[in-house]
Amino acid sequence: MSRLLYENSVSYKGYLIIPFIFGKADNYEIYSYKLLSEIGHRNQFHKAENPAGIYGSGVINIINIAKEHIDQNSEFVHRGDSFKSRYIYRNNLIIIFQEGDKYFYDHYPPELLNNIAAPKLFKSEYECLNWIKQGFDGRHLRQRAI
């Protein structure tokens, strides 16, 4: 599997559709997708890979396949766009959430949907993003020095 194409992800009805290149056939790329659900592990499709079982010929095609599957199989009413504050930094997906006056985040690496965020609360989205960026930049500098 190639890295997850977070930059092409689409928020749709309480899900984040994340395409990736599944493979190649005759020099054509075959696309698949993974899902995140705003209600997390309480949803059968949270972190699921291609629950529709259909592959696509491009990013738009696979997004449309995922949307159709969600339309036919969604089991909850979404609250709004839980994935609106998402950022990509060094091919990593960062999703910022707000509850009251506190902010926190989920962090997914480029290759898999495992949340590796630190359990930390912030006073603003900016403070959260700045802390994440400093962590990445510091780690990146340490790796280059080795």
Side-chain angles (χ1 to χ4, degrees), residues 38-68:
E38 74 179 16
I39 62 172
H41 296 287
R42 297 183 312 240
N43 183 271
Q44 65 176 335
F45 298 127
H46 184 64
K47 295 187 180 182
E49 182 174 326
N50 199 342
I54 303 171
Y55 297 85
S57 58
V59 170
I60 293 171
N61 180 238
I62 199 65
I63 296 292
N64 288 334
I65 289 168
K67 285 180 176 180
E68 184 176 331

Side-chain angles (χ1 to χ4, degrees), residues 47-103:
K47 295 187 180 182
E49 182 174 326
N50 199 342
I54 303 171
Y55 297 85
S57 58
V59 170
I60 293 171
N61 180 238
I62 199 65
I63 296 292
N64 288 334
I65 289 168
K67 285 180 176 180
E68 184 176 331
H69 182 264
I70 290 166
D71 287 343
Q72 294 173 358
N73 297 285
S74 185
E75 56 192 35
F76 71 95
V77 177
H78 66 101
R79 302 181 297 244
D81 189 357
S82 296
F83 302 109
K84 70 179 178 229
S85 293
R86 65 183 186 277
Y87 304 89
I88 294 98
Y89 191 70
R90 295 192 176 158
N91 295 325
N92 289 260
L93 175 64
I94 311 298
I95 305 169
I96 308 291
F97 300 98
Q98 179 182 4
E99 285 187 12
D101 61 348
K102 302 291 182 194
Y103 293 79

Side-chain angles (χ1 to χ4, degrees), residues 5-142:
L5 302 173
Y6 294 130
E7 64 274 14
N8 297 112
S9 64
V10 172
S11 179
Y12 185 72
K13 294 186 176 180
Y15 293 92
L16 187 64
I17 303 166
I18 307 162
F20 66 93
I21 298 171
F22 179 76
K24 288 189 177 197
D26 295 329
N27 291 326
Y28 291 98
E29 293 174 334
I30 300 167
Y31 287 82
S32 186
Y33 67 97
K34 291 191 177 197
L35 293 174
L36 285 178
S37 168
E38 74 179 16
I39 62 172
H41 296 287
R42 297 183 312 240
N43 183 271
Q44 65 176 335
F45 298 127
H46 184 64
K47 295 187 180 182
E49 182 174 326
N50 199 342
I54 303 171
Y55 297 85
S57 58
V59 170
I60 293 171
N61 180 238
I62 199 65
I63 296 292
N64 288 334
I65 289 168
K67 285 180 176 180
E68 184 176 331
H69 182 264
I70 290 166
D71 287 343
Q72 294 173 358
N73 297 285
S74 185
E75 56 192 35
F76 71 95
V77 177
H78 66 101
R79 302 181 297 244
D81 189 357
S82 296
F83 302 109
K84 70 179 178 229
S85 293
R86 65 183 186 277
Y87 304 89
I88 294 98
Y89 191 70
R90 295 192 176 158
N91 295 325
N92 289 260
L93 175 64
I94 311 298
I95 305 169
I96 308 291
F97 300 98
Q98 179 182 4
E99 285 187 12
D101 61 348
K102 302 291 182 194
Y103 293 79
F104 60 98
Y105 71 101
D106 284 352
H107 167 199
Y108 297 94
E111 301 84 22
L112 64 154
L113 286 181
N114 283 350
N115 182 8
I116 57 174
K120 186 166 173 60
L121 295 175
F122 302 90
K123 295 179 183 173
S124 70
E125 186 169 342
Y126 173 79
E127 180 183 302
C128 183
L129 287 170
N130 193 42
W131 188 85
I132 295 165
K133 186 178 181 304
Q134 286 177 351
F136 270 111
D137 293 346
R139 183 175 349 139
H140 181 68
L141 290 174
R142 285 190 300 276

